[in-house]
């Protein structure tokens, strides 16, 4: 049997996951960003209240890519390579 605290915790994590998903898509609708730039932009949008951890953001980006909602591109910028080829 699931108690109220367990189900409310699960609901809370689902809300957080969906909120992050929506924020990431909103940020990427502005322009292409690197992962660390997405974290910074979300922190800016939320007035410092939330900065997603890399361990949360990068798996979400992989999921959005698999779903066909985003495209990951390799970019060379000042000698730094990022993204996928």
């Amino acid at each position: 049997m699931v108690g109220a605290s367990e189900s409310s915790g699960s609901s809370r994590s689902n809300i957080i996951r969906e909120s992050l998903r929506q924020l990431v898509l909103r940020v990427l609708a502005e322009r292409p960003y690197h992962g660390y730039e997405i974290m910074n932009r979300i922190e800016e949008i939320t007035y410092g209240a939330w900065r997603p951890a890399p361990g949360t953001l990068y798996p979400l980006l992989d999921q959005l890519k698999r779903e066909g909602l985003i495209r990951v591109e390799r970019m060379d910028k000042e000698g730094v390579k990022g993204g996928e080829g």
Side-chain angles (χ1 to χ4, degrees):
M1 183 173 202
V2 176
S5 63
E6 290 175 326
S7 65
S8 66
S10 176
S11 294
R12 232 177 287 136
S13 68
N14 288 339
I15 291 168
I16 291 169
R17 237 186 329 271
E18 188 58 32
S19 297
L20 179 57
R21 181 182 172 94
Q22 295 301 318
L23 278 170
V24 167
L25 291 171
R26 174 185 168 189
V27 165
L28 291 174
E30 296 173 359
R31 68 172 181 82
Y33 283 92
H34 290 281
Y36 68 91
E37 292 175 313
I38 295 170
M39 289 185 278
N40 290 340
R41 183 68 180 118
I42 289 173
E43 185 176 30
E44 188 178 291
I45 289 169
T46 63
Y47 300 100
W50 190 20
R51 179 184 173 91
T56 303
L57 178 64
Y58 288 104
L60 174 61
L61 292 174
D62 287 338
Q63 178 184 349
L64 293 172
K65 180 184 172 194
R66 284 192 310 272
E67 293 174 9
L69 296 174
I70 65 170
R71 183 178 66 241
V72 177
E73 297 179 357
R74 180 176 197 92
M75 297 177 65
D76 291 328
K77 183 177 180 181
E78 302 174 11
V80 176
K81 296 186 187 257
E84 293 181 0

